[in-house]
Amino acid sequence: MIKVNSFLGKFTLFAAVWAVFSLSAVYAAEITILNVSYDPTREFYRAYNEIFAKHYKTLTGDTIIVNQSHGGSGGQARGVIEGNPADVVTLAVGYDIDEIAAKSGFIAKNWESRLPRNSAPYTSTIVFLVRSGNPKKIKDWDDLIKSDVKVITPDPKTSGGARWNYLAAWGFARIKYGDEAKAREFVKNVYKNVIVLDSGARGATNTFVQKGQGDVLLAWENEAHLSINELGKGRFEIVYPSVSILAEPSVSWVDANIAKKGTEKVAKEYLTYLYTDEAQRLAGKNYYRPSDEAILTEFSAQFPVIKLLTINSDFGGWEKAHQAHFVDGAEFDKIFAELKNR
Amino acid sequence: MGKKTSRLPGFHLTLGLSLTYISFLVLIPLFSLILYSARLSPTEYWSIITNDRVLAAFRVSFSSTLIAAVVDGFFGFILAWVLTRYAFFGKRVIDALIDLPFAIPTAVAGITLSYLFTANSKLGRFLMDHDINIATTNASIVIALTFIGIPFVVRTVQPVLQEFDKELEEASISLGANFYKTFLKVILPSVLPALITGFAMAFARGLGEYGSVIFIASNMPYESEIVPRLIVQKLLNFDYKGASAIGTAMLVCAFILLLIINLLQHRLQRRLN
Amino acid sequence: MSIVKINKEPVWIKPTLLALSFLFLSLFIFLPLFTIFSEALSRGASYYFNALKEREVFAAIRLTLLTAAICVPINTAFGVMLAWAITKFSFKGKNVLITLVEVPFAVSPVISGLIFVFLFGAIGWFGGILDKLNYRIVFNIPGIFLATAFVTFPFVAKELIPLMHDLGKDDEEAAITLGASGLKTFFRVTLPNIKWGLLYGIILTNARAMGEYGAVAVVSGLVRGKTTTMPLYIDILYGEYLFAAAFAVASLLTLLALVTLVIKAVLERIIAKQRKQKFEF
């Protein structure tokens, strides 16, 4: 009888100690803000959060911890709409921030004009990452539709980068072949060669680099540089196509959340500080094109000048482009449906 | 509630509390999903779940799971046979390790299995050198699901083989039947219900599996996209209607499978007694 | 005619089956196990321990432990109550109830997370109320608890129901007749008989609670160091090309799985022995 009680007793004691230990550990006080971002910004924001914490400490004396959340840009936006308590969002496409503004009202509709340069503190573009020596001789977009080329790109439904990839291909074909119908045919042929469709840019890079799949990865310029430096110098090469697209990852504070949490000052300072020389250089070091012209020229060796299309002048803005290509039943879905019936 | 025939106390308390708990944890959440999908008109619902991409995902899920469950059935039977009938070095360890796929987190299984088929591992390099493509074909999904399902088959067949009526088999042999006949006429029929039950369980588990598959599959719409991944994709896209419609369809599949498994197990129990 | 021994299989069978088993186990058990640990230690022991010392890894471990610390006791308590009600009494709808217990086994982990999104998410039935209360369940820690509780709910009850069914209720009835209270009867009569089976159920609950990925991934906001459990964090590390670190965290969960299996094997032997003794009497 005593044995039973002691068995139970020990168990209860163990459970209680365990619970108390875990509870106290999790709820230790921290002043934090949450940055909900897209996939390839992990390394940049890790570095940026450090310099920002230092800056903020000297500015106010407060200790700041920035929590990061990364994923496909569309999915991250949906998370914020769903109630993920982001103080700031730093997403791959402005459209995702528009979505948050439209669907939840957590962000003011005029967000784009609240920070300098369309609220895009750094830009990037889409390049090709190929295996060293470029065995398939991939030089430009039209090499992607050769029958022996296997392409890796993520799913435009969930990945912001993938939408830039898609539009860049479309834009190239429109220039080269002259009209929309031929551009569509070209994009279709590119996706015919796609062998893996990951949900985010990082997944796609892993598939190409780590799993060794495919001959070419359509990647963010920064992601391509990072892959070479982090994962294997000499194993990959970057190919700049003749035309690409100016990708403007956008940032905004989330009005409703910062008001609720009282983090307005930190959140705004966090984004404003992105435009300082120090932060701009850090962006350059992390292979993002600084939006500050002067600092961009400091990195000119790293960022070749190529013809860049823009979403506003070449595709009529994100709203239009998204409706035409990426909503359910739009071009992308149709293209895939046709490919299946091929 | 029906008559209580027991003199023991605590019926109302335990049943009441458990029912409350189940209601809050299981029933109400399940109904929230079903009710949400009920907002769709029947035609809307139908057009979502008969969309080509959705149907293709169901096809991929069902076919990969079926193949994996058959492979599990085959090797599961062999493993159960080996573990119950032979003595060999390391048997206890292997017996315990059979449950590894069940105990290991699916995410760990996913990254490990996908790693195995990359150029980083010797196996992956060997396969690539010989032009055997597993990583971007549905073979990868089958491999993940085979891994997930194996314990279910072994653990349902093993006890039956163990408690197998040896005399029956002895009798059959003494009657002059050779081993093959004994196997086909006596052993297999007795083990078959358990084998089918294990197969059904592996199938049910595999059909819904997410963690291990998304790491290893190439997730191409129409080709290698499984239903759970499509649900998550709809969810990420803020397409709650689509997610709820496909979700309830999956739920129905799960309930049907559960029903089949329970019927099978019921018959199995009766046979064992 | 003399009785031929049952093991008189044709000679080729045993080596063939053993070889097939070995092949299968190598590919599906040994090789993955070996890979996890060799990759985790591929950059040396100091890297391994440093990877585990990161603030965010620590937070993930804490959240995982906390999740288990909450879900395991609750599910244990309700599992025991459920088993008591089901095995000691007969009532209408019992079979429906038993089937309900198995539901979390049968549904996809994705669905297990999804249902809570539809209940507590912004578009969910209680989304509006929660927003007014300024409280979040989904994309927050409570959502992780709920999804985990859902997924791990069946284990204890599923272990106990057949066990308590076999044991019958004579002992308990005798105790009650002798004047013992209900609780006393449970702790002094029932519990000693089922304790190993119960422990077995708890171990399984715990393993699954710490390892659940799909359901938790759907309800977590994936905030590093906040709403990432260990399995989610492995995913994050993998996405940051920190493969050795990802496998280091994975190796912890694998060790946990191995310990679980060892305890399980030991308990199984104890239970089998006890049953045998019971039948010998």
Side-chain angles (χ1 to χ4, degrees):
Chain A
M1 296 290 148
I2 291 161
K3 215 176 137 204
V4 177
N5 280 334
S6 71
F7 171 76
L8 187 75
K10 267 183 221 153
F11 179 75
T12 321
L13 186 70
F14 175 64
V17 169
W18 190 359
V20 168
F21 165 76
S22 327
L23 276 167
S24 61
V26 167
Y27 292 107
E30 284 170 354
I31 308 167
T32 54
I33 60 168
L34 170 60
N35 176 3
V36 169
S37 194
Y38 63 110
D39 256 335
T41 57
R42 299 172 197 238
E43 291 73 19
F44 169 62
Y45 277 111
R46 182 182 288 172
Y48 176 71
N49 290 344
E50 267 175 40
I51 67 162
F52 176 73
K54 261 185 224 143
H55 160 73
Y56 204 74
K57 182 104 183 168
T58 48
L59 192 73
T60 63
D62 292 337
T63 305
I64 289 295
I65 292 176
V66 184
N67 282 319
Q68 288 292 141
S69 172
H70 296 275
S73 188
Q76 292 291 79
R78 165 255 171 191
V80 175
I81 298 168
E82 262 291 327
N84 199 5
D87 297 88
V88 298
V89 288
T90 52
L91 296 175
V93 290
Y95 181 77
D96 288 328
I97 303 182
D98 283 336
E99 279 276 286
I100 301 174
K103 286 202 167 127
S104 68
F106 293 163
I107 294 177
K109 289 228 162 74
N110 68 343
W111 65 269
E112 207 170 353
S113 59
R114 297 192 299 196
L115 285 164
R117 301 188 280 273
N118 294 334
S119 291
Y122 40 80
T123 68
S124 190
T125 187
I126 301 302
V127 300
F128 303 159
L129 192 66
V130 296
R131 303 202 183 276
S132 71
N134 197 355
K136 294 276 170 90
K137 304 275 175 291
I138 296 161
K139 295 275 182 252
D140 205 350
W141 290 98
D142 41 4
D143 294 320
L144 299 183
I145 61 172
K146 287 181 187 159
S147 59
D148 66 332
V149 171
K150 292 182 184 132
V151 180
I152 308 285
T153 175
D155 185 351
K157 293 282 198 169
T158 43
S159 159
R163 281 177 239 163
W164 292 113
N165 296 348
Y166 172 103
L167 291 175
W170 191 289
F172 162 84
R174 195 164 50 194
I175 294 170
K176 174 147 190 183
Y177 303 109
D179 68 47
E180 291 285 330
K182 280 178 186 147
R184 183 182 190 281
E185 193 57 31
F186 177 79
V187 171
K188 186 172 147 186
N189 286 328
V190 171
Y191 278 90
K192 197 186 203 169
N193 285 345
V194 172
I195 53 164
V196 180
L197 203 68
D198 287 289
S199 60
R202 262 305 145 86
T205 312
N206 257 335
T207 299
F208 183 74
V209 169
Q210 183 72 1
K211 296 193 190 171
Q213 296 301 324
D215 302 310
V216 54
L217 170 74
L218 308 187
W220 290 101
E221 183 181 37
N222 56 290
E223 189 76 355
H225 279 287
L226 189 76
S227 313
I228 289 182
N229 291 330
E230 289 268 313
L231 292 163
K233 284 205 169 69
R235 286 173 58 203
F236 308 102
E237 282 172 23
I238 294 177
V239 173
Y240 278 87
S242 61
V243 178
S244 193
I245 193 162
L246 176 72
E248 293 174 300
S250 310
V251 303
S252 173
W253 56 81
V254 184
D255 302 75
N257 294 343
I258 58 175
K260 238 184 239 173
K261 294 201 263 177
T263 48
E264 273 153 321
K265 196 179 149 211
V266 196
K268 288 176 184 172
E269 183 62 25
Y270 183 77
L271 296 181
T272 316
Y273 193 68
L274 279 169
Y275 291 88
T276 60
D277 289 359
E278 194 188 4
Q280 290 284 303
R281 276 195 195 97
L282 189 69
K285 270 182 213 148
N286 283 277
Y287 316 109
Y288 285 91
R289 297 185 173 213
S291 63
D292 186 313
E293 292 291 338
I295 293 176
L296 179 62
T297 51
E298 289 176 21
F299 289 91
S300 57
Q302 189 178 309
F303 300 123
V305 179
I306 56 170
K307 182 179 165 53
L308 294 178
L309 307 169
T310 69
I311 188 77
N312 287 329
S313 58
D314 296 283
F315 294 93
W318 261 117
E319 178 61 33
K320 199 173 156 216
H322 193 86
Q323 290 301 327
H325 296 282
F326 305 121
V327 296
D328 271 349
E331 290 298 356
F332 178 74
D333 279 352
K334 282 191 206 150
I335 284 173
F336 248 100
E338 285 165 25
L339 283 178
K340 183 218 68 175
N341 293 329
R342 149 173 56 108
Chain B
M1 287 299 141
K3 261 179 281 167
K4 81 177 177 154
T5 49
S6 176
R7 274 180 294 160
L8 294 175
F11 174 65
H12 292 291
L13 180 77
T14 54
L15 187 66
L17 282 176
S18 326
L19 278 181
T20 315
Y21 187 64
I22 291 188
S23 303
F24 278 104
L25 191 69
V26 181
L27 285 180
I28 295 178
L30 283 178
F31 274 118
S32 74
L33 173 67
I34 295 166
L35 278 176
Y36 194 91
S37 70
R39 287 181 188 174
L40 298 164
S41 74
T43 45
E44 243 183 317
Y45 187 88
W46 190 245
S47 80
I48 291 173
I49 63 164
T50 56
N51 172 290
D52 278 354
R53 184 166 173 182
V54 178
L55 286 181
F58 269 102
R59 225 166 7 243
V60 171
S61 276
F62 271 97
S63 61
S64 326
T65 313
L66 188 70
I67 298 170
V70 169
V71 175
D72 280 335
F74 179 72
F75 281 100
F77 181 79
I78 291 176
L79 283 166
W81 181 276
V82 163
L83 284 172
T84 44
R85 306 190 51 142
Y86 305 141
F88 55 92
F89 176 73
K91 180 173 162 179
R92 274 186 185 179
V93 176
I94 286 173
D95 196 8
L97 280 179
I98 292 289
D99 282 321
L100 186 77
F102 188 70
I104 210 168
T106 52
V108 176
I111 63 164
T112 310
L113 289 173
S114 76
Y115 204 83
L116 270 178
F117 294 102
T118 67
N120 299 297
S121 86
K122 286 205 180 81
L123 178 69
R125 220 166 305 140
F126 174 83
L127 291 172
M128 271 178 199
D129 290 347
H130 291 77
D131 265 334
I132 301 171
N133 187 359
I134 287 188
T136 59
T137 61
N138 288 359
S140 60
I141 305 181
V142 173
I143 284 171
L145 295 178
T146 306
F147 175 81
I148 294 297
I150 193 70
F152 293 96
V153 178
V154 178
R155 291 305 182 226
T156 38
V157 173
Q158 213 177 0
V160 180
L161 278 179
Q162 237 150 22
E163 289 174 28
F164 193 71
D165 191 356
K166 292 178 180 177
E167 282 170 36
L168 195 66
E169 198 186 352
E170 281 171 359
S172 139
I173 290 176
S174 68
L175 285 172
N178 68 13
F179 175 78
Y180 301 103
K181 261 190 194 156
T182 316
F183 181 82
L184 282 178
K185 296 235 163 103
V186 184
I187 305 178
L188 202 57
S190 330
V191 179
L192 205 58
L195 194 58
I196 294 172
T197 311
F199 168 85
M201 284 162 92
F203 188 86
R205 176 74 204 270
L207 196 61
E209 177 57 20
Y210 175 71
S212 57
V213 177
I214 49 146
F215 282 102
I216 201 171
S218 47
N219 301 324
M220 286 294 283
Y222 301 103
E223 281 165 27
S224 51
E225 185 175 54
I226 56 164
V227 182
R229 135 108 190 172
L230 191 59
I231 296 177
V232 171
Q233 199 248 29
K234 295 255 175 212
L235 203 59
L236 289 176
N237 263 324
F238 217 74
D239 179 6
Y240 288 107
K241 283 181 179 176
S244 74
I246 305 171
T248 45
M250 280 286 278
L251 210 56
V252 172
C253 293
F255 274 114
I256 293 172
L257 282 169
L258 196 61
L259 199 73
I260 294 173
I261 292 169
N262 277 349
L263 282 175
L264 285 171
Q265 272 184 325
H266 198 68
R267 288 178 60 178
L268 190 63
Q269 289 288 316
R270 266 213 318 241
R271 220 174 239 256
L272 272 178
N273 295 335
Chain C
M1 190 187 222
S2 68
I3 290 175
V4 189
K5 279 199 86 182
I6 55 152
N7 279 339
K8 203 96 190 183
E9 305 169 350
V11 214
W12 63 273
I13 288 186
K14 185 173 170 180
T16 312
L17 293 189
L18 278 176
L20 277 174
S21 301
F22 185 72
L23 191 74
F24 186 86
L25 289 171
S26 305
L27 191 62
F28 283 93
I29 307 282
F30 301 134
L31 203 55
L33 264 184
F34 172 77
T35 306
I36 294 170
F37 289 102
S38 72
E39 286 306 320
L41 293 168
S42 61
R43 293 201 180 182
S46 64
Y47 180 91
Y48 180 83
F49 288 108
N50 281 334
L52 296 179
K53 272 199 304 215
E54 286 262 322
R55 177 179 77 94
E56 281 146 355
V57 175
F58 233 77
I61 294 174
R62 269 194 319 242
L63 180 58
T64 300
L65 289 178
L66 181 69
T67 307
I70 286 177
C71 295
V72 174
I74 294 178
N75 277 338
T76 305
F78 283 102
V80 170
M81 282 196 270
L82 194 67
W84 177 269
I86 284 177
T87 55
K88 305 292 180 194
F89 307 95
S90 56
F91 54 90
K92 258 186 211 158
K94 197 184 205 172
N95 285 329
V96 177
L97 191 58
I98 294 175
T99 308
L100 266 182
V101 174
E102 288 175 354
V103 166
F105 266 139
V107 306
S108 169
V110 167
I111 307 265
S112 312
L114 193 66
I115 54 177
F116 292 103
V117 173
F118 280 105
L119 201 57
F120 299 117
I123 46 93
W125 302 98
F126 296 106
I129 302 169
L130 287 166
D131 192 48
K132 276 195 193 103
L133 293 173
N134 201 2
Y135 189 72
R136 282 169 306 104
I137 289 181
V138 177
F139 291 106
N140 199 1
I141 294 171
I144 294 177
F145 296 157
L146 278 172
T148 307
F150 178 90
V151 170
T152 58
F153 168 62
F155 292 94
V156 169
K158 244 193 111 113
E159 279 311 315
L160 287 187
I161 290 172
L163 183 63
M164 284 167 75
H165 189 84
D166 283 356
L167 288 167
K169 53 191 177 188
D170 298 347
D171 295 354
E172 283 87 352
E173 279 177 343
I176 295 288
T177 316
L178 290 172
S181 73
L183 265 185
K184 210 171 183 181
T185 307
F186 173 77
F187 282 119
R188 302 239 161 136
V189 180
T190 314
L191 193 59
N193 284 328
I194 62 164
K195 67 181 174 192
W196 298 118
L198 180 61
L199 199 57
Y200 187 15
I202 293 174
I203 293 286
L204 291 180
T205 310
N206 187 54
R208 191 71 197 269
M210 291 191 172
E212 179 54 29
Y213 172 79
V216 174
V218 173
V219 296
S220 159
L222 291 179
V223 183
R224 299 179 58 130
K226 271 262 145 121
T227 55
T228 43
T229 58
M230 285 164 81
L232 295 177
Y233 202 70
I234 292 172
D235 187 9
I236 289 180
L237 288 169
Y238 200 70
E240 288 175 5
Y241 311 135
L242 300 167
F243 305 114
F247 277 107
V249 180
S251 73
L252 282 189
L253 285 170
T254 308
L255 276 180
L256 177 82
L258 291 175
V259 170
T260 302
L261 294 184
V262 170
I263 298 177
K264 186 170 168 282
V266 171
L267 286 178
E268 266 170 348
R269 202 154 301 150
I270 294 175
I271 295 168
K273 217 179 257 172
Q274 273 189 343
R275 282 211 175 152
K276 214 171 147 198
Q277 277 168 354
K278 203 176 157 66
F279 285 123
E280 272 165 11
F281 272 113

